[in-house]
Amino acid sequence: MEAGAESDVDRPVDSDSPAAEESGTNQNSGGRSEPSPSKQGEILRTLATVEKDSQAIAESFSSLFVSLRSTLSEATSSSVDHMGCFGDAAGRLQETALDASTKGNRYINSCLRLNEEIKGVENLAARLKHLRRNVDVLDTAVNKLLRPP
C-alpha cells in the first residue's frame, strides 16, 4: 500500500465536507464513518488480493527454505564425504611414505655393506695386479731362458 493511501484511510471524514460525498461513506450516530457497500466490496476484494499475494509469498519463501535446506544438506553431505576421502587418502599416503622410507633405508644399508665389500675387493684387486706383474716378469724371464736370442 502507498503511504498516501494509508493517510486517507486513517483520516476521519466529516459528513459536511465534499470528501464525505466523494468517498461514499455514511456517518452513524457514534461519529464513526462506515464505508458504503461499494467501498466495502472494493476493500474486501483488495484484502482478498493482499491475502492471496501474502499466501503466495509465504509459499515462495517456504519453497525457497526447503530448497536451501536441501542444498545445504547436500553440501554438508558432500563435505563429509570429501573429508572421509581426504582422511583415507592421507592415511594411504602416510602408509606409502612409511613403506618407501623403510625400503629406502634398506637400500642405503645394502649400499653401505656393498661398499665395505668392494673395499675388500679393491685390496684383492691391487694384490692380484701386483701378482699379475710378477707373473708377467716370471713369464718373460722363462721365455728368455728357453729361447735364447
Side-chain angles (χ1 to χ4, degrees), residues 7-142:
S7 63
D8 288 344
V9 172
D10 293 340
R11 185 178 30 191
V13 180
D14 293 335
S15 60
D16 296 337
S17 71
E21 294 171 9
E22 289 176 12
S23 66
T25 58
N26 298 328
Q27 184 111 13
N28 66 6
S29 60
R32 292 176 53 197
S33 59
E34 292 186 21
S36 67
S38 65
K39 284 288 186 178
Q40 282 181 344
E42 185 178 330
I43 290 172
L44 290 176
R45 281 191 299 278
T46 303
L47 284 174
T49 302
V50 168
E51 184 179 358
K52 188 168 63 171
D53 289 348
S54 297
Q55 186 174 4
I57 290 170
E59 288 173 2
S60 177
F61 274 124
S62 177
S63 174
L64 175 67
F65 289 133
V66 166
S67 175
L68 286 174
R69 185 180 310 127
S70 173
T71 302
L72 181 60
S73 176
E74 288 176 18
T76 303
S77 175
S78 293
S79 295
V80 168
D81 291 345
H82 289 150
M83 290 303 292
C85 287
F86 176 76
D88 291 345
R92 289 185 188 136
L93 178 63
Q94 185 179 10
E95 290 172 7
T96 304
L98 185 60
D99 187 46
S101 174
T102 302
K103 289 179 180 176
N105 284 335
R106 285 185 200 150
Y107 177 75
I108 290 170
N109 289 334
S110 296
C111 288
L112 291 173
R113 279 194 310 267
L114 183 61
N115 191 33
E116 290 299 318
E117 290 176 14
I118 287 178
K119 282 182 184 177
V121 171
E122 285 175 355
N123 290 334
L124 181 61
R127 290 161 100 191
L128 286 175
K129 199 184 278 188
H130 182 67
L131 188 59
R132 173 76 184 219
R133 268 188 260 134
N134 289 338
V135 169
D136 286 342
V137 169
L138 181 62
D139 188 43
T140 305
V142 168

